[in-house]
Amino acid sequence: MPALFRLAATETKLFFREPIVVFFALAFSPVLFGVLGLIPAVREPGPDGVRMISRYLPIVVAMGVALFSLSGLSQLFASYREKGVLRRMRLTPVEPTVLLGAQLLMAVVLSAASTLVVLLTGRLAFDLDLPRRLPAYVLCFALLALALFAIGLLVAALARSATSASAVGSLVFFPLVFFAGLWLPRAGMNQVLRTISDLTPLGAGVQALQDTTSGNWPHLLHVGVMLGWLVVVGGLAARYFRWE
């Protein structure tokens, strides 16, 4: 555990040396949410009395984590392999699982900080309610983040370079955010699309965050989907990890 935390601290310092990656990984989702909130129609109640800005809150949170995973973490990790950093680390006692765990720890903590900024922006700027079932919200966010970062690490484990990791990450990112409801809200999806959405980590995560924000417990299906993605994809990332 001490090695894990020391390595996570080192990775965090290295991460903040890449300003463009830091912006898209941490600042983009709060900025996007603030811009959405400036649109009058988004702040007005819909036919069901729910403001659109409150529907976008969990979507923006989930999208921010996905962007960090697939555009930040995967490229950063793949660039380590491309530059020979991982090859040099191979000569140390560091196990692949410790390195992957340090990357996951760093990413989850930083994403949680970015999410907190989004939630406080919603509360202070747009009078949105904070999650009513906070422990359940934290659990669902952790499962969502770990599942998405496992996907990012799998992309990085398989990619030969940072460029290919970026390309593959983009191909994965856009379908995920579509099923999260960014362009077509989940409420407007037909049964087939909603079923597919429920089986994706972002679709399940968005619904779980929405449920816990409104004071309900998350559905076991959505919790199980996120946990399943974490276990399966995380195992594949560790299985196909390559130093070179």
Side-chain angles (χ1 to χ4, degrees):
M1 294 301 291
L4 174 66
F5 292 130
R6 288 198 299 268
L7 189 55
T10 301
E11 290 298 318
T12 302
K13 294 177 183 178
L14 294 174
F15 173 77
F16 278 100
R17 294 180 180 178
E18 302 288 341
I20 296 179
V21 175
V22 171
F23 172 77
F24 282 102
L26 300 179
F28 182 77
S29 55
V31 170
L32 174 62
F33 187 70
V35 171
L36 287 173
L38 296 177
I39 303 174
V42 176
R43 299 196 305 268
E44 296 298 323
D48 56 356
V50 179
R51 290 190 293 169
M52 186 61 69
I53 188 68
S54 67
R55 296 188 186 277
Y56 272 117
L57 179 57
I59 297 174
V60 171
V61 168
M63 188 194 71
V65 180
L67 194 60
F68 191 169
S69 170
L70 297 169
S71 296
L73 185 63
S74 60
Q75 292 183 49
L76 184 66
F77 201 85
S79 70
Y80 283 0
R81 181 184 298 107
E82 188 177 11
K83 295 176 182 177
V85 175
L86 297 184
R87 184 174 63 251
R88 291 191 292 271
M89 289 187 66
R90 189 177 185 179
L91 302 177
T92 71
V94 178
E95 294 290 336
T97 52
V98 176
L99 182 59
L100 294 176
Q103 293 278 352
L104 280 174
L105 179 60
M106 174 198 72
V108 171
V109 171
L110 293 180
S111 289
S114 179
T115 297
L116 182 60
V117 173
V118 174
L119 292 176
L120 291 177
T121 301
R123 178 60 181 169
L124 298 177
F126 308 117
D127 197 30
L128 298 180
D129 292 332
L130 293 174
R132 296 179 183 177
R133 292 197 180 273
L134 186 58
Y137 186 94
V138 172
L139 174 62
C140 292
F141 173 80
L143 284 175
L144 171 64
L146 289 172
L148 289 173
F149 289 131
I151 295 174
L153 289 177
L154 178 60
V155 171
L158 298 176
R160 294 183 176 275
S161 65
T163 302
S164 61
S166 175
V168 175
S170 297
L171 290 175
V172 176
F173 174 77
F174 287 106
L176 285 180
V177 295
F178 170 80
F179 287 111
L182 181 62
W183 295 289
L184 177 63
R186 279 174 48 88
M189 293 181 180
N190 58 36
Q191 188 60 44
V192 174
L193 290 178
R194 191 177 301 180
T195 299
I196 297 174
S197 175
D198 285 336
L199 298 177
T200 64
L202 248 67
V206 165
Q207 189 59 52
L209 295 180
Q210 187 72 61
D211 290 339
T212 52
T213 298
S214 60
N216 300 315
W217 293 104
H219 290 283
L220 290 178
L221 169 65
H222 299 139
V223 174
V225 166
M226 290 186 288
L227 184 60
W229 278 89
L230 169 60
V231 172
V232 174
V233 180
L236 290 174
R239 168 66 178 80
Y240 290 105
F241 176 86
R242 293 177 293 113
W243 292 104
E244 301 183 36

